[in-house]
Amino acid sequence: MDTGTRAALRVAARFFILGALWVLLSDRVLEVLLDPEQIPLAQTLKGWLFMAVVAALIFAWVKVEMRLRERSCETEANLAILLNQSLTGVFAVRDGRCTYTNDRFNEILGYAPGELTGRSLTTIVEEGERVRVRHVIERAGSLRAHSTLSFRAVRADGSIIHTETQITQTELGGGAVVLGMLLDVTQRKVQEARYAATRRLEAIGRVAGGVAHDFNNLLTAITGAASLLRDRR
């Protein structure tokens, strides 16, 4: 149920309660205070007074509700500005489809603002990892408060990037929503791969150095033995 519907129901409930109390109590008061021939005129005046009071109350209630709505809209606008200034990609998923993506999320994946809204989250996931990612998203409610998910993502131009995402499930707008933050860790993965390759080369170098040292010792022993044999002749 959205905010506008809840506000309308609150106003309707107040109107109904006020009207019921007015009808029940005012008739009793008129019967006690007035003569029977004066009651019809009094009821007419009561009706007009009731309409004036209700109009004033509805005006006041609607004004309060509109003020609350404006504050809520201002809060949402400020939150949107804050999220769009974030250095991490922020997204919301309901029923497997994106309902919100901030500017950084769109920038990381190369999409225009709003282009991913309404599309399945697996649109940005490499085909080989879609089943795993979909399974984790569906189980988000049963996971611990925050869960980290790593997967290879597909940008709008078809290029592959490495991402890390932290997701959590919450209630928003009367339904379950998965909220997440996404980081592009492609450069880190490249650096880690280079570091691992360097370590492997260092290990190979140490092994080669050890073999060369042992081989040199063996050659020294052979050379020494050959020299002794030559001297004996």
Side-chain angles (χ1 to χ4, degrees), residues 104-123:
R104 179 56 180 159
F105 186 91
N106 297 324
E107 180 184 350
I108 291 174
L109 294 165
Y111 286 91
E115 189 175 354
L116 285 171
T117 302
R119 299 175 65 176
S120 173
L121 181 66
T122 55
T123 301

Side-chain angles (χ1 to χ4, degrees), residues 8-209:
L9 287 176
R10 284 196 294 268
V11 172
R14 292 168 183 170
F15 177 80
F16 177 79
I17 293 172
L18 177 63
L21 291 175
W22 183 279
V23 171
L24 293 175
L25 297 179
S26 60
D27 286 344
R28 297 289 181 86
V29 172
L30 291 177
E31 291 175 358
V32 172
L33 297 179
L34 300 178
D35 296 330
E37 62 272 9
Q38 296 175 324
I39 291 179
L41 177 61
Q43 287 180 335
T44 301
L45 296 175
K46 181 192 70 172
W48 284 103
L49 180 61
F50 174 74
M51 292 177 62
V53 171
V54 168
L57 290 177
I58 290 178
F59 174 79
W61 288 334
V62 170
K63 187 176 181 180
V64 170
E65 294 293 344
M66 292 298 295
R67 187 176 302 166
L68 293 176
R69 185 69 179 271
E70 289 174 358
R71 291 178 181 175
S72 177
C73 291
E74 290 176 359
T75 301
E76 292 177 0
N78 292 333
L79 180 59
I81 293 173
L82 179 63
L83 290 176
N84 284 328
Q85 292 177 343
S86 173
L87 297 178
T88 61
V90 181
F91 64 95
V93 176
R94 187 194 298 271
D95 297 329
R97 297 188 176 277
C98 297
T99 58
Y100 171 81
T101 56
N102 73 340
D103 289 346
R104 179 56 180 159
F105 186 91
N106 297 324
E107 180 184 350
I108 291 174
L109 294 165
Y111 286 91
E115 189 175 354
L116 285 171
T117 302
R119 299 175 65 176
S120 173
L121 181 66
T122 55
T123 301
I124 67 168
V125 181
E126 189 182 36
E127 186 174 358
E129 297 199 276
R130 289 179 179 176
V131 174
R132 179 176 65 87
V133 172
R134 186 184 299 112
H135 181 64
V136 172
I137 294 295
E138 290 174 352
R139 293 179 57 245
S142 61
L143 299 175
R144 57 182 182 274
H146 299 282
S147 179
T148 300
L149 172 66
S150 299
F151 62 90
R152 292 184 299 276
V154 183
R155 301 184 78 250
D157 58 7
S159 59
I160 304 297
I161 60 174
H162 295 271
T163 65
E164 284 187 0
T165 305
Q166 189 175 65
I167 60 174
T168 185
Q169 180 170 296
T170 185
E171 293 291 327
L172 188 64
V177 176
V178 175
L179 303 178
M181 295 184 296
L182 180 139
L183 289 174
D184 181 0
V185 296
T186 304
Q187 291 301 320
R188 192 186 75 187
K189 292 289 185 180
V190 171
Q191 293 174 357
E192 289 176 350
R194 289 176 179 173
Y195 179 73
T198 301
R199 293 295 300 271
R200 285 195 296 270
L201 290 174
E202 290 177 354
I204 292 172
R206 286 194 296 270
V207 171

